[in-house]
Amino acid sequence: GIWLLKFKSFKRIPHLLVSGIWAFGLAAFFTLPALIENKFTHIDSVLVGYYDYSGHFATINQLLFSRFWGYGPSVWLENDGMSFQVGHLHWVLSLVIFGLFVYKSIKNKKIDTTFLAVGLMFLVGWVATFFVHSKSTPIWLFVSPMKYLQFPWRFLVLPTFSFSFIIGALIWFLPKTVAKNYRILLSAALIIFVISLNWYYFKPEHGKLGKLTDQEKLSGVAWDLQQTAGIYDYLPITAKTAPKAPQKYVAEVARGKVVVSDMSQGTNWSNFKANVEDDKAWVRVNTFYFPGWVAYVDGNKVAPFVPQEEEWGRMWIELPKGEHNVEVKFENTQIRTIGNVVSLVSWTCLLSYLLLHKKLKRN
């Protein structure tokens, strides 16, 4: 926007629109299902209790002055076990360098493109930092979709980039001969200085975390914790509550007299055999139901369902008397197919354009 106004290149607006639509197309395989199908999840569960953004603002001390570093979680009030510091060098130099650019612009009575870039980064960095503080609560309330960020300190990714960008502009205030001949040396010196200032943060927490092998991390209580730590994130709406125990069997008898055997399972499928001795029976597949799951009984497509009594949102299948081969698959819904096609076309166009552009440039 700044560049459009600066150079009055309004004819570029259609190009920007095409670029935005194209970028959306590249990510459509994920974005479209995420937007359309989130209604099939307990999306509100990621917005309440611990995940309510109002309990995770950082204080001015945490943002600008504290040198604390920890390996704990974000908690309410100021007892956080993790650091939210912007970085002394970063925020101080952002003020100094921006001030120098303002002074230079007033002195020369001219606003150059470098100052516009630095000014934009300065604005982005400090506005993002403001959003991490509780004083920004009225904005969070007014722009309600912001609540899906859950933790205001996620905005700190913006000053991390923008303030680093501003510090890099320090070279503009050096004599031209020095900047030209010693640019790499000065950049290396600045990088070494930043690393030295924060060297303590590159060290483990004095061995408190201890040694942990892959086998220990992926077994026992540690593995159970990893499997259930985020279980309420986007829990299917068919589940009234999260499961209280891990899956023991791919499928099991829910009602009636059935013998279930030859069970196998993959990431998006389950297979088993069922010998029904009653006129009909019901088998429960121990997988959450979500739109896209379909069942095939002896090759015939049937619809799995979730009865009212099912607390954990698992799929049930009704089977008639006799021996049956049952296959359960997770297939694409219409919106997922559309997203996949849009992304495939977008990526094909992008790669074709790059190859064609490279070929024309050679010629």
Side-chain angles (χ1 to χ4, degrees), residues 40-81:
F40 300 121
T41 68
H42 287 287
I43 189 68
D44 291 339
S45 68
V46 300
L47 305 175
V48 297
Y50 173 79
Y51 300 103
D52 188 334
Y53 70 87
S54 63
H56 297 280
F57 286 113
T59 65
I60 291 179
N61 178 61
Q62 288 176 309
L63 290 169
L64 304 181
F65 304 113
S66 174
R67 292 279 291 172
F68 168 77
W69 184 269
Y71 294 89
S74 170
V75 297
W76 288 13
L77 302 177
E78 294 186 52
N79 299 316
D80 301 281

Tab-separated table of all heavy atoms in Angstrom, residues 40-81:
chain	number	residue	atom	x	y	z
A	40	PHE	N	-17.973	-29.036	12.298
A	40	PHE	CA	-18.121	-30.424	12.732
A	40	PHE	C	-17.211	-30.752	13.912
A	40	PHE	O	-17.037	-31.923	14.260
A	40	PHE	CB	-17.814	-31.384	11.574
A	40	PHE	CG	-18.719	-31.200	10.388
A	40	PHE	CD1	-18.197	-30.889	9.149
A	40	PHE	CD2	-20.095	-31.331	10.514
A	40	PHE	CE1	-19.026	-30.719	8.055
A	40	PHE	CE2	-20.928	-31.161	9.426
A	40	PHE	CZ	-20.405	-30.851	8.188
A	41	THR	N	-16.604	-29.739	14.505
A	41	THR	CA	-15.716	-29.944	15.649
A	41	THR	C	-16.179	-29.089	16.826
A	41	THR	O	-16.942	-28.135	16.658
A	41	THR	CB	-14.264	-29.576	15.306
A	41	THR	OG1	-14.182	-28.144	15.094
A	41	THR	CG2	-13.799	-30.293	14.055
A	42	HIS	N	-15.689	-29.442	18.005
A	42	HIS	CA	-15.938	-28.619	19.192
A	42	HIS	C	-14.978	-27.440	19.155
A	42	HIS	O	-14.083	-27.319	19.997
A	42	HIS	CB	-15.728	-29.444	20.467
A	42	HIS	CG	-16.805	-30.440	20.733
A	42	HIS	ND1	-18.060	-30.090	21.175
A	42	HIS	CD2	-16.824	-31.793	20.607
A	42	HIS	CE1	-18.806	-31.175	21.328
A	42	HIS	NE2	-18.074	-32.229	20.989
A	43	ILE	N	-15.180	-26.570	18.177
A	43	ILE	CA	-14.249	-25.456	17.987
A	43	ILE	C	-14.210	-24.542	19.211
A	43	ILE	O	-13.185	-23.939	19.524
A	43	ILE	CB	-14.630	-24.655	16.718
A	43	ILE	CG1	-13.560	-23.619	16.359
A	43	ILE	CG2	-15.993	-24.000	16.866
A	43	ILE	CD1	-12.271	-24.227	15.905
A	44	ASP	N	-15.338	-24.452	19.927
A	44	ASP	CA	-15.380	-23.578	21.098
A	44	ASP	C	-14.501	-24.077	22.234
A	44	ASP	O	-14.155	-23.313	23.135
A	44	ASP	CB	-16.822	-23.432	21.603
A	44	ASP	CG	-17.684	-22.634	20.635
A	44	ASP	OD1	-17.111	-21.890	19.825
A	44	ASP	OD2	-18.920	-22.774	20.687
A	45	SER	N	-14.140	-25.355	22.204
A	45	SER	CA	-13.315	-25.900	23.287
A	45	SER	C	-11.910	-25.314	23.287
A	45	SER	O	-11.209	-25.388	24.291
A	45	SER	CB	-13.241	-27.423	23.183
A	45	SER	OG	-12.516	-27.824	22.032
A	46	VAL	N	-11.491	-24.755	22.136
A	46	VAL	CA	-10.153	-24.161	22.075
A	46	VAL	C	-10.201	-22.685	22.446
A	46	VAL	O	-9.208	-21.968	22.282
A	46	VAL	CB	-9.539	-24.335	20.670
A	46	VAL	CG1	-9.431	-25.797	20.309
A	46	VAL	CG2	-10.341	-23.574	19.611
A	47	LEU	N	-11.346	-22.219	22.948
A	47	LEU	CA	-11.498	-20.800	23.257
A	47	LEU	C	-11.885	-20.546	24.711
A	47	LEU	O	-12.030	-19.395	25.101
A	47	LEU	CB	-12.568	-20.176	22.346
A	47	LEU	CG	-12.371	-20.338	20.838
A	47	LEU	CD1	-13.579	-19.775	20.097
A	47	LEU	CD2	-11.105	-19.658	20.384
A	48	VAL	N	-12.056	-21.592	25.486
A	48	VAL	CA	-12.521	-21.410	26.860
A	48	VAL	C	-11.507	-21.976	27.848
A	48	VAL	O	-10.586	-22.707	27.476
A	48	VAL	CB	-13.891	-22.098	27.072
A	48	VAL	CG1	-14.953	-21.457	26.200
A	48	VAL	CG2	-13.807	-23.597	26.776
A	49	GLY	N	-11.724	-21.629	29.111
A	49	GLY	CA	-10.839	-22.138	30.161
A	49	GLY	C	-9.412	-21.663	29.972
A	49	GLY	O	-9.156	-20.464	29.784
A	50	TYR	N	-8.494	-22.597	29.982
A	50	TYR	CA	-7.076	-22.268	29.831
A	50	TYR	C	-6.805	-21.534	28.532
A	50	TYR	O	-5.896	-20.705	28.442
A	50	TYR	CB	-6.253	-23.557	29.893
A	50	TYR	CG	-4.781	-23.349	29.583
A	50	TYR	CD1	-3.914	-22.846	30.557
A	50	TYR	CD2	-4.269	-23.645	28.322
A	50	TYR	CE1	-2.571	-22.646	30.280
A	50	TYR	CE2	-2.931	-23.453	28.033
A	50	TYR	CZ	-2.082	-22.955	29.020
A	50	TYR	OH	-0.756	-22.759	28.735
A	51	TYR	N	-7.595	-21.816	27.489
A	51	TYR	CA	-7.330	-21.276	26.159
A	51	TYR	C	-7.968	-19.912	25.908
A	51	TYR	O	-7.885	-19.390	24.805
A	51	TYR	CB	-7.821	-22.274	25.101
A	51	TYR	CG	-7.142	-23.611	25.218
A	51	TYR	CD1	-7.803	-24.692	25.796
A	51	TYR	CD2	-5.837	-23.793	24.779
A	51	TYR	CE1	-7.181	-25.929	25.924
A	51	TYR	CE2	-5.206	-25.018	24.905
A	51	TYR	CZ	-5.886	-26.077	25.479
A	51	TYR	OH	-5.263	-27.293	25.608
A	52	ASP	N	-8.624	-19.341	26.907
A	52	ASP	CA	-9.184	-18.004	26.769
A	52	ASP	C	-8.037	-16.998	26.708
A	52	ASP	O	-7.205	-16.927	27.614
A	52	ASP	CB	-10.095	-17.711	27.956
A	52	ASP	CG	-10.864	-16.406	27.799
A	52	ASP	OD1	-10.377	-15.517	27.076
A	52	ASP	OD2	-11.941	-16.281	28.387
A	53	TYR	N	-8.000	-16.202	25.652
A	53	TYR	CA	-6.881	-15.274	25.436
A	53	TYR	C	-6.700	-14.282	26.582
A	53	TYR	O	-5.578	-13.811	26.849
A	53	TYR	CB	-7.088	-14.505	24.124
A	53	TYR	CG	-8.218	-13.506	24.161
A	53	TYR	CD1	-8.019	-12.207	24.614
A	53	TYR	CD2	-9.494	-13.853	23.751
A	53	TYR	CE1	-9.059	-11.288	24.661
A	53	TYR	CE2	-10.534	-12.951	23.779
A	53	TYR	CZ	-10.314	-11.661	24.236
A	53	TYR	OH	-11.338	-10.761	24.282
A	54	SER	N	-7.794	-13.965	27.299
A	54	SER	CA	-7.714	-12.938	28.338
A	54	SER	C	-6.787	-13.314	29.475
A	54	SER	O	-6.350	-12.450	30.243
A	54	SER	CB	-9.116	-12.647	28.891
A	54	SER	OG	-9.652	-13.799	29.514
A	55	GLY	N	-6.465	-14.600	29.607
A	55	GLY	CA	-5.577	-15.028	30.690
A	55	GLY	C	-4.128	-15.138	30.288
A	55	GLY	O	-3.301	-15.591	31.087
A	56	HIS	N	-3.788	-14.705	29.062
A	56	HIS	CA	-2.429	-14.925	28.575
A	56	HIS	C	-1.755	-13.666	28.040
A	56	HIS	O	-0.835	-13.748	27.226
A	56	HIS	CB	-2.439	-16.006	27.492
A	56	HIS	CG	-2.881	-17.336	27.990
A	56	HIS	ND1	-2.050	-18.187	28.680
A	56	HIS	CD2	-4.092	-17.953	27.928
A	56	HIS	CE1	-2.720	-19.285	29.006
A	56	HIS	NE2	-3.958	-19.163	28.563
A	57	PHE	N	-2.205	-12.499	28.507
A	57	PHE	CA	-1.504	-11.263	28.150
A	57	PHE	C	-0.190	-11.191	28.930
A	57	PHE	O	-0.064	-11.739	30.026
A	57	PHE	CB	-2.359	-10.044	28.486
A	57	PHE	CG	-3.521	-9.829	27.550
A	57	PHE	CD1	-4.821	-9.975	27.991
A	57	PHE	CD2	-3.307	-9.487	26.221
A	57	PHE	CE1	-5.892	-9.775	27.138
A	57	PHE	CE2	-4.362	-9.290	25.359
A	57	PHE	CZ	-5.665	-9.432	25.811
A	58	ALA	N	0.775	-10.517	28.344
A	58	ALA	CA	2.063	-10.318	29.014
A	58	ALA	C	2.130	-8.892	29.563
A	58	ALA	O	1.492	-7.979	29.037
A	58	ALA	CB	3.208	-10.554	28.039
A	59	THR	N	2.906	-8.714	30.616
A	59	THR	CA	3.069	-7.387	31.221
A	59	THR	C	4.182	-6.626	30.506
A	59	THR	O	4.975	-7.200	29.758
A	59	THR	CB	3.394	-7.506	32.708
A	59	THR	OG1	4.681	-8.144	32.847
A	59	THR	CG2	2.344	-8.336	33.437
A	60	ILE	N	4.248	-5.331	30.781
A	60	ILE	CA	5.316	-4.508	30.203
A	60	ILE	C	6.673	-5.019	30.664
A	60	ILE	O	7.639	-5.057	29.893
A	60	ILE	CB	5.125	-3.030	30.596
A	60	ILE	CG1	3.884	-2.461	29.894
A	60	ILE	CG2	6.368	-2.212	30.232
A	60	ILE	CD1	3.588	-1.021	30.238
A	61	ASN	N	6.749	-5.431	31.928
A	61	ASN	CA	8.010	-5.962	32.449
A	61	ASN	C	8.431	-7.212	31.689
A	61	ASN	O	9.594	-7.367	31.307
A	61	ASN	CB	7.869	-6.281	33.935
A	61	ASN	CG	9.134	-6.889	34.525
A	61	ASN	OD1	10.189	-6.270	34.512
A	61	ASN	ND2	9.025	-8.113	35.010
A	62	GLN	N	7.487	-8.118	31.452
A	62	GLN	CA	7.803	-9.343	30.716
A	62	GLN	C	8.223	-9.052	29.282
A	62	GLN	O	9.088	-9.733	28.732
A	62	GLN	CB	6.594	-10.286	30.720
A	62	GLN	CG	6.311	-10.937	32.064
A	62	GLN	CD	5.044	-11.773	32.032
A	62	GLN	OE1	3.983	-11.310	31.616
A	62	GLN	NE2	5.144	-13.022	32.465
A	63	LEU	N	7.613	-8.054	28.664
A	63	LEU	CA	7.884	-7.749	27.264
A	63	LEU	C	9.193	-6.996	27.064
A	63	LEU	O	9.963	-7.301	26.142
A	63	LEU	CB	6.737	-6.925	26.677
A	63	LEU	CG	5.406	-7.651	26.481
A	63	LEU	CD1	4.307	-6.646	26.151
A	63	LEU	CD2	5.538	-8.678	25.358
A	64	LEU	N	9.467	-6.010	27.916
A	64	LEU	CA	10.564	-5.094	27.635
A	64	LEU	C	11.754	-5.175	28.585
A	64	LEU	O	12.879	-4.831	28.175
A	64	LEU	CB	10.037	-3.647	27.630
A	64	LEU	CG	8.887	-3.356	26.668
A	64	LEU	CD1	8.502	-1.882	26.752
A	64	LEU	CD2	9.247	-3.738	25.241
A	65	PHE	N	11.554	-5.588	29.821
A	65	PHE	CA	12.640	-5.485	30.791
A	65	PHE	C	13.152	-6.821	31.339
A	65	PHE	O	14.334	-6.962	31.634
A	65	PHE	CB	12.195	-4.593	31.965
A	65	PHE	CG	11.735	-3.231	31.528
A	65	PHE	CD1	10.418	-2.853	31.663
A	65	PHE	CD2	12.627	-2.351	30.948
A	65	PHE	CE1	9.991	-1.602	31.246
A	65	PHE	CE2	12.217	-1.090	30.521
A	65	PHE	CZ	10.887	-0.715	30.667
A	66	SER	N	12.287	-7.794	31.481
A	66	SER	CA	12.690	-9.068	32.076
A	66	SER	C	13.674	-9.827	31.186
A	66	SER	O	13.563	-9.811	29.960
A	66	SER	CB	11.458	-9.935	32.323
A	66	SER	OG	11.837	-11.224	32.764
A	67	ARG	N	14.638	-10.495	31.836
A	67	ARG	CA	15.585	-11.364	31.112
A	67	ARG	C	15.305	-12.826	31.455
A	67	ARG	O	16.122	-13.705	31.182
A	67	ARG	CB	17.022	-11.013	31.513
A	67	ARG	CG	17.490	-9.650	31.044
A	67	ARG	CD	17.926	-9.670	29.607
A	67	ARG	NE	19.168	-10.436	29.437
A	67	ARG	CZ	19.697	-10.737	28.259
A	67	ARG	NH1	19.078	-10.378	27.151
A	67	ARG	NH2	20.815	-11.423	28.180
A	68	PHE	N	14.127	-13.088	32.000
A	68	PHE	CA	13.769	-14.449	32.415
A	68	PHE	C	13.668	-15.370	31.211
A	68	PHE	O	13.196	-14.988	30.140
A	68	PHE	CB	12.438	-14.430	33.164
A	68	PHE	CG	11.852	-15.801	33.386
A	68	PHE	CD1	12.346	-16.633	34.378
A	68	PHE	CD2	10.820	-16.268	32.576
A	68	PHE	CE1	11.810	-17.900	34.586
A	68	PHE	CE2	10.286	-17.536	32.768
A	68	PHE	CZ	10.781	-18.349	33.775
A	69	TRP	N	14.115	-16.617	31.403
A	69	TRP	CA	13.963	-17.657	30.394
A	69	TRP	C	13.614	-18.956	31.090
A	69	TRP	O	14.251	-19.332	32.073
A	69	TRP	CB	15.256	-17.828	29.592
A	69	TRP	CG	15.120	-18.834	28.481
A	69	TRP	CD1	15.381	-20.163	28.537
A	69	TRP	CD2	14.664	-18.578	27.162
A	69	TRP	NE1	15.129	-20.766	27.333
A	69	TRP	CE2	14.678	-19.801	26.455
A	69	TRP	CE3	14.232	-17.434	26.494
A	69	TRP	CZ2	14.292	-19.916	25.128
A	69	TRP	CZ3	13.853	-17.544	25.175
A	69	TRP	CH2	13.891	-18.769	24.509
A	70	GLY	N	12.571	-19.631	30.620
A	70	GLY	CA	12.167	-20.879	31.262
A	70	GLY	C	11.604	-21.870	30.272
A	70	GLY	O	11.426	-21.560	29.088
A	71	TYR	N	11.305	-23.060	30.758
A	71	TYR	CA	10.792	-24.139	29.917
A	71	TYR	C	9.375	-24.539	30.320
A	71	TYR	O	8.887	-25.594	29.933
A	71	TYR	CB	11.716	-25.360	30.014
A	71	TYR	CG	13.091	-25.113	29.444
A	71	TYR	CD1	14.110	-24.597	30.234
A	71	TYR	CD2	13.358	-25.383	28.110
A	71	TYR	CE1	15.372	-24.370	29.707
A	71	TYR	CE2	14.615	-25.159	27.570
A	71	TYR	CZ	15.619	-24.650	28.376
A	71	TYR	OH	16.868	-24.416	27.857
A	72	GLY	N	8.706	-23.688	31.087
A	72	GLY	CA	7.359	-23.996	31.549
A	72	GLY	C	6.290	-23.453	30.612
A	72	GLY	O	6.584	-22.893	29.554
A	73	PRO	N	5.020	-23.563	31.003
A	73	PRO	CA	3.919	-23.124	30.161
A	73	PRO	C	3.526	-21.674	30.409
A	73	PRO	O	3.991	-21.034	31.356
A	73	PRO	CB	2.785	-24.065	30.585
A	73	PRO	CG	3.054	-24.270	32.046
A	73	PRO	CD	4.552	-24.304	32.186
A	74	SER	N	2.636	-21.192	29.565
A	74	SER	CA	2.007	-19.899	29.789
A	74	SER	C	0.836	-20.107	30.727
A	74	SER	O	-0.019	-20.961	30.491
A	74	SER	CB	1.519	-19.320	28.452
A	74	SER	OG	0.709	-18.174	28.668
A	75	VAL	N	0.802	-19.331	31.818
A	75	VAL	CA	-0.287	-19.456	32.788
A	75	VAL	C	-0.844	-18.078	33.079
A	75	VAL	O	-0.325	-17.063	32.627
A	75	VAL	CB	0.208	-20.115	34.102
A	75	VAL	CG1	0.687	-21.526	33.840
A	75	VAL	CG2	1.335	-19.295	34.749
A	76	TRP	N	-1.925	-18.046	33.840
A	76	TRP	CA	-2.543	-16.776	34.175
A	76	TRP	C	-1.646	-15.966	35.120
A	76	TRP	O	-0.796	-16.500	35.807
A	76	TRP	CB	-3.897	-17.018	34.828
A	76	TRP	CG	-4.923	-17.492	33.836
A	76	TRP	CD1	-4.688	-17.931	32.558
A	76	TRP	CD2	-6.329	-17.582	34.019
A	76	TRP	NE1	-5.856	-18.285	31.946
A	76	TRP	CE2	-6.887	-18.093	32.818
A	76	TRP	CE3	-7.188	-17.291	35.083
A	76	TRP	CZ2	-8.256	-18.297	32.649
A	76	TRP	CZ3	-8.549	-17.507	34.918
A	76	TRP	CH2	-9.075	-17.998	33.726
A	77	LEU	N	-1.882	-14.663	35.107
A	77	LEU	CA	-1.110	-13.697	35.895
A	77	LEU	C	0.357	-13.717	35.453
A	77	LEU	O	0.654	-13.940	34.284
A	77	LEU	CB	-1.279	-13.979	37.380
A	77	LEU	CG	-2.743	-13.952	37.887
A	77	LEU	CD1	-2.799	-14.310	39.363
A	77	LEU	CD2	-3.394	-12.619	37.601
A	78	GLU	N	1.296	-13.481	36.381
A	78	GLU	CA	2.704	-13.332	36.006
A	78	GLU	C	3.545	-14.534	36.427
A	78	GLU	O	4.760	-14.418	36.592
A	78	GLU	CB	3.286	-12.056	36.625
A	78	GLU	CG	2.672	-10.777	36.074
A	78	GLU	CD	3.375	-9.534	36.590
A	78	GLU	OE1	4.610	-9.471	36.469
A	78	GLU	OE2	2.694	-8.636	37.115
A	79	ASN	N	2.936	-15.690	36.598
A	79	ASN	CA	3.691	-16.868	37.023
A	79	ASN	C	4.077	-17.750	35.851
A	79	ASN	O	4.250	-18.953	36.006
A	79	ASN	CB	2.848	-17.669	38.032
A	79	ASN	CG	2.514	-16.863	39.277
A	79	ASN	OD1	3.379	-16.175	39.819
A	79	ASN	ND2	1.260	-16.923	39.699
A	80	ASP	N	4.210	-17.142	34.677
A	80	ASP	CA	4.510	-17.915	33.468
A	80	ASP	C	5.860	-18.613	33.567
A	80	ASP	O	6.814	-18.080	34.141
A	80	ASP	CB	4.514	-16.992	32.244
A	80	ASP	CG	3.175	-16.289	32.071
A	80	ASP	OD1	2.252	-16.926	31.559
A	80	ASP	OD2	3.073	-15.108	32.456
A	81	GLY	N	5.919	-19.785	32.974
A	81	GLY	CA	7.175	-20.521	32.956
A	81	GLY	C	7.937	-20.322	31.670
A	81	GLY	O	8.967	-20.963	31.452
